[in-house]
Amino acid sequence: MTVVIDLPAAITRRATSGPQDGLVVGVDAGGTKTLAAALDLATGAVTTGRSGPANPDAIGLDDAVAAITEAVGEATGDREDVRAVLVAGAGTDAATLGEAVVRALPSAVFVNDVVAAWAAVAAGEPAIAVISGTGSNALGVDGEHRARRAGGWGHVFGDEGSGHWLGREAVGAAIRAYDGRDAPTLLGTLLCEETGAASAADAVIGLYADGAGKTRVAALAPIVSRAAAQGDAAATALLARGGEALADHVVAIADALDLEADAGLPIGLTGSTWKAGGALTARFAEVVAQRLPNAEIRRVETPPVVGSLALALHACERSDAIDTLLPDAAAALADA
């Protein structure tokens, strides 16, 4: 069973009668960093604000809210003409984070980060978005704005196919090979290079000593694609497992929303882990094609904060600016 997501009415309406000046702010509050982008409705200029991670599962609720407000404050400066703020936040308990964000920023609309990813895929039209970064999550929205989420259950119990999942599984494969429980794998060698350890055992001891934090473990994910590129069987199989797990998210959403007849349905892949490519994306596409043969799978290079800005424009009744102002803003934020 997928999770029913009630999209705020403010982001599903399509109106063009909103303000012609002032700022709209989109925020991507993720597990690694927080980025706020303020778009000037009169000039099209974009200013940004940055702060640290804002996933309360990893750093606690108070620190997450503090990171979000810091980034918004930096992006807006001393301006008082803020027309709308859309915060897309990570974490398993979106309701609690959303309530805390709105207390700190009363004008804000809060959504789960995967909602902004969906908006970045198709500017708020029917689509499925699949995030695979530090964590993983997926959201599908149909033509009636019914929304279903699969995944997003955090690094301890979920996040299959994510950077953290790949890093954790790579360490597990390396240590099993070290024990002699599995065949030798290049993952052990690359793990030692990455951590500066003399052996896979020392690497694991060092990771535990450092707290084995979510971001630290996720940073190990690239060794999987590096090993796979050199023909390592364990790494290739691991990428394929990750791709299949992410595809299962899409299949569950398609079943819940009855999307099988939707020819050309966009499925957008966003997040740094998709850069692994190879067996990850190949297996993902293979499994999705069995369920949605007409789907259009594509990498979304647009930063998630642009999706937040698109939703903020809907919220302040300037949907027209998605065509007139957002493209240039997206270009300005391409390397954000």
Side-chain angles (χ1 to χ4, degrees):
M1 179 181 295
T2 55
V3 176
V4 176
I5 299 293
D6 293 322
L7 299 178
I11 69 171
T12 60
R13 63 190 177 207
R14 303 293 181 264
T16 60
S17 58
Q20 300 298 308
D21 58 11
L23 298 177
V24 295
V25 183
V27 183
D28 173 32
T32 303
K33 63 177 174 39
T34 300
L35 174 65
L39 171 63
D40 191 309
L41 292 170
T43 67
V46 177
T47 53
T48 59
R50 292 173 171 80
S51 61
N55 186 332
D57 296 345
I59 66 170
L61 183 62
D62 291 345
D63 287 346
V65 174
I68 291 167
T69 56
E70 178 186 344
V72 171
E74 184 179 327
T76 57
D78 296 327
R79 296 278 293 266
E80 296 182 356
D81 56 344
V82 178
R83 309 304 187 191
V85 179
L86 190 294
V87 177
T92 55
D93 188 356
T96 298
L97 177 58
E99 290 168 0
V101 167
V102 172
R103 284 196 298 271
L105 299 167
S107 63
V109 175
F110 180 88
V111 297
N112 188 278
D113 61 347
V114 76
V115 178
W118 156 69
V121 171
E125 298 307 315
I128 296 176
V130 187
I131 297 178
S132 182
T134 303
S136 65
N137 206 346
L139 180 82
V141 181
D142 67 9
E144 298 176 2
H145 287 120
R146 296 185 303 155
R148 298 292 186 275
R149 193 199 85 200
W153 296 115
H155 65 290
V156 175
F157 302 113
D159 282 351
E160 299 89 348
S162 69
H164 179 274
W165 183 87
L166 284 173
R168 185 188 68 214
E169 294 296 310
V171 173
I175 204 66
R176 288 192 299 273
Y178 176 87
D179 282 347
R181 291 179 285 146
D182 276 350
T185 170
L186 185 57
L187 290 169
T189 301
L190 296 180
L191 175 64
C192 291
E193 291 179 1
E194 185 68 24
T195 61
S199 68
D202 287 343
V204 170
I205 292 169
L207 288 168
Y208 275 124
D210 291 340
K214 181 178 181 179
T215 303
R216 178 69 183 94
V217 174
L220 298 172
I223 71 172
V224 182
S225 53
R226 286 166 54 197
Q230 297 180 56
D232 186 81
T236 301
L238 179 52
L239 288 174
R241 283 173 51 211
E244 183 166 344
L246 292 166
D248 288 344
H249 291 56
V250 172
V251 171
I253 289 169
D255 288 343
L257 293 176
D258 194 24
L259 293 175
E260 64 263 26
D262 289 49
L265 178 76
I267 298 178
L269 314 181
T270 182
S272 58
T273 304
W274 289 110
K275 296 176 183 178
L280 181 81
T281 53
R283 183 56 180 157
F284 175 86
E286 181 181 6
V287 174
V288 169
Q290 295 170 6
R291 177 64 177 77
L292 294 167
N294 296 316
E296 296 179 359
I297 300 172
R298 60 175 182 260
R299 279 285 309 278
V300 178
E301 303 296 342
T302 304
V305 72
V306 176
S308 295
L309 271 178
L311 296 176
L313 288 168
H314 286 314
C316 77
E317 300 186 345
R318 282 299 311 276
S319 299
D320 57 301
I322 289 175
D323 293 326
T324 58
L325 296 179
L326 194 61
D328 287 344
L333 292 165
D335 297 324

